[in-house]
Structures are given as C-alpha cells and as structure tokens.
C-alpha cells in the first residue's frame, strides 16, 4: 500500500491538449515517489466554498520521481479553476490514492490497454511501466490527445465516435477493425481498461465471453477520496467490511477491480 501524503505542490507547466482537456505537471516531494500506474490524487480548490477535492488520475511520473503529470477534463467550477493555474502557482493535493493496475499479472503476456475519454491518461504511465507485447486502444469523442505519448510505449489503435480519426465507433470496434481477435490469433491475454461505465460494461462482457482476465478502473464521482463517506460505492459480489453490504468503495478498494468482482 502506497503511503499517502497531503502536499502543497508547485505547478511546473500547464497546456491545453483539446477543447476541454488540460495537462499539468506538478513538482512534489513525496507523492510522485510513491505513485503507481492507475492511482489518482485528490486536488483541492483554493476557493473555500468548494470544500471537496477533485479526483484526477495520474497520467505520468517523471524519471526522477519528483514530479507527476495530471491530464484532466474541465467539467465544473473546480476543474475550471485548475485550468487557470500557471507555472509557479501552487496546488494542494492528496495522494497517491487507491490501488493501481496489477502489473505483475501482465508480465510476459499480450496485454491490451483500453482507455476511453479521460480514461486514456492513466494508460500512459501504465504502458510505460509494462514490459512485453502492448496494444493500446484509445477511444475519443472527436479530438485526439496523448497520441504521441502512447506511441512511445506500444502499438496504438484509435477510435472516434464521430469517425474523424481511426476507426469509427468505440474501442471494441477498433479491436475488430484491426484484426485484434481470436480468429487472427491476436486476442488479448489480459486487459487493463479505464473509461466511462458503458465502455467498461462492454469490455467486461467481451472478456467474460472470451474468458480473458480483465481489470477495470472505474470512473465514479468521489467526495472524500479515502473511503470514509461512501459516496462512490459500487455493487460487488463480496460484502464490504466497512459498510457491511455488497458494496465496494471505488476510491479506497479501487479504482482498479477485477471485472468479475463488481457490477456495472
């Protein structure tokens, strides 16, 4: 379990990647050293009226483990505030939080990293940390981002909902269109996926049908980020020791789960 730290980080740079997507590099003293692929941080607003932090996946960690990259979408006042910050500004963050992808499970296997929308950023650090046969399938609504970073670490296949780039449709459409199937002998041996619930539901169904081990990172609205408030529970097969019901806390028990453990 990573040691979580509350830090006042310093912004090193910020750039706009797409119409509502931003990339921010932060200098940290402890969080980057402890971070694993698939974990996230909670970022705090400087506006006292916005008490709850915003969860943001870790996109990359620097080679010297002293800075980390957050790529996020502006969806409200909190993330809009973050998008206005500049180099030299400071941002309070808590992390690293949650569990990451089980990299050891993919060792020596053909692994498919499947990201949709803002579920694409955590695939950069995950792909960087993995050795072996990596196929990265990225699904977008329209505008592309992080393509160059992904291409450094594996073979990239792209899908867009509007058909403007890559395969028209979703990540599963891109798989089929590029011959990444059992019939071609190129099906995944293990899947790591992150994205919206409909995408994860489809990937889970595919993995179950094909009897493929599949790990999913769930995108839920979180509040405390440390498992105390139960605002981000999902239904599970096992009884949660904290709530005593068939729930898992996405922020504490996840965000990465074996797909067969949770309901979508």
């Amino acid at each position: 379990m990573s040691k979580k730290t509350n830090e006042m980080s310093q912004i090193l740079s910020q750039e706009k990647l797409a119409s509502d997507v931003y990339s921010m590099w932060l200098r940290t003293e402890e969080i980057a050293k402890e971070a694993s692929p698939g974990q996230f941080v909670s970022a705090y607003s400087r506006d006292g009226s916005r008490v709850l932090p915003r969860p943001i996946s870790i996109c990359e960690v620097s080679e010297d483990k002293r800075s980390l990259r957050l790529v996020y979408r502006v969806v409200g006042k909190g993330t809009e505030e973050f998008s206005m910050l500049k180099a030299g500004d400071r941002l309070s963050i808590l992390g690293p939080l949650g569990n990451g992808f089980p990299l050891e499970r993919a060792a020596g296997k053909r692994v498919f990293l499947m990201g949709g929308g803002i579920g694409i950023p955590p695939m950069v650090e995950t792909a960087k940390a993995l050795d072996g046969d990596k196929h990265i399938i990225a699904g977008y609504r329209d505008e592309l981002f992080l393509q160059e970073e992904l291409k450094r670490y594996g073979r990239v296949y792209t899908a867009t909902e509007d058909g403007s780039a890559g395969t028209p449709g979703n990540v599963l459409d891109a798989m089929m269109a590029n011959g990444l199937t059992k019939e071609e002998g190129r099906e995944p041996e293990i899947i790591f996926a992150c994205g919206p619930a409909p995408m994860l539901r489809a990937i889970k169904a595919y993995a179950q049908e094909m009897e493929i081990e599949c790990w999913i990172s769930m995108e839920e609205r979180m509040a405390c980020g440390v498992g105390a408030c139960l605002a981000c529970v999902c239904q599970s097969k096992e009884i949660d020791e904290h709530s005593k019901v068939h729930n898992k806390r996405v922020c504490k028990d996840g965000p990465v789960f074996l797909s067969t453990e949770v309901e979508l």
Side-chain angles (χ1 to χ4, degrees):
M1 180 69 68
S2 300
K3 178 183 71 175
K4 57 180 178 287
T5 305
N6 199 326
E7 282 192 49
M8 185 60 73
S9 64
Q10 182 179 35
I11 296 171
L12 300 176
S13 65
Q14 176 148 239
E15 63 176 318
K16 190 174 185 178
L17 302 183
S19 57
D20 57 354
V21 177
Y22 290 79
S23 169
M24 179 191 297
W25 276 99
L26 303 171
R27 174 72 72 187
T28 77
E29 293 300 323
E30 299 295 333
I31 295 176
K33 296 177 185 176
E34 297 289 332
S36 299
Q39 290 187 297
F40 67 97
V41 300
S42 282
Y44 290 83
S45 169
R46 295 188 290 186
D47 185 331
S49 67
R50 292 191 280 272
V51 177
L52 296 176
R54 272 58 178 174
I56 304 176
S57 296
I58 295 171
C59 175
E60 287 188 82
V61 176
S62 64
E63 294 297 327
D64 63 3
K65 303 288 187 181
R66 294 192 61 202
S67 59
L68 55 83
R69 185 185 190 187
L70 306 179
V71 173
Y72 61 97
R73 173 171 282 131
V74 173
V75 293
K77 294 295 184 181
T79 45
E80 182 180 19
E81 175 194 327
F82 300 155
S83 72
M84 304 296 288
L85 298 175
K86 298 177 176 59
D89 290 340
R90 294 189 173 274
L91 180 66
S92 177
I93 57 174
L94 174 67
L97 299 173
N99 63 329
F101 287 105
L103 305 181
E104 71 284 354
R105 300 288 302 176
K109 297 180 180 178
R110 184 186 303 113
V111 57
F112 279 26
L113 306 176
M114 307 178 77
I118 213 63
I120 294 169
M123 294 304 165
V124 176
E125 186 64 25
T126 304
K128 185 193 300 185
L130 281 170
D131 291 324
D133 189 9
K134 294 171 283 191
H135 297 261
I136 306 166
I137 303 102
Y140 303 84
R141 287 181 303 192
D142 41 37
E143 293 180 89
L144 306 185
F145 54 90
L146 295 176
Q147 285 274 299
E148 292 306 314
E149 289 88 339
L150 293 171
K151 289 175 182 177
R152 292 179 196 144
Y153 306 113
R155 281 164 282 189
V156 176
Y157 310 87
T158 300
T160 51
E161 292 179 14
D162 68 352
S164 59
T167 302
N170 57 37
V171 290
L172 289 175
D173 294 324
M175 277 181 54
M176 303 307 169
N178 287 281
L180 303 176
T181 63
K182 185 175 183 178
E183 290 72 21
E184 298 287 339
R186 301 172 66 202
E187 79 279 14
E189 294 177 280
I190 187 170
I191 296 172
F192 292 164
C194 182
M199 184 195 96
L200 297 181
R201 194 176 299 120
I203 292 173
K204 175 183 176 179
Y206 164 79
Q208 285 184 301
E209 179 184 353
M210 303 300 293
E211 298 183 337
I212 297 167
E213 183 176 339
C214 178
W215 295 82
I216 59 176
S217 179
M218 299 181 68
E219 292 183 345
E220 295 289 329
R221 291 191 66 86
M222 301 179 193
C224 71
V226 294
C229 70
L230 303 182
C232 63
V233 295
C234 64
Q235 191 172 0
S236 66
K237 288 187 177 181
E238 299 175 354
I239 294 178
D240 176 60
E241 293 183 1
H242 185 76
S243 61
K244 306 303 180 183
V245 294
H246 287 275
N247 283 336
K248 291 283 189 182
R249 294 161 290 167
V250 174
C251 68
K252 182 74 171 181
D253 303 313
V256 177
F257 298 97
L258 185 63
S259 63
T260 53
E261 292 182 346
V262 292
E263 299 297 331
L264 294 166

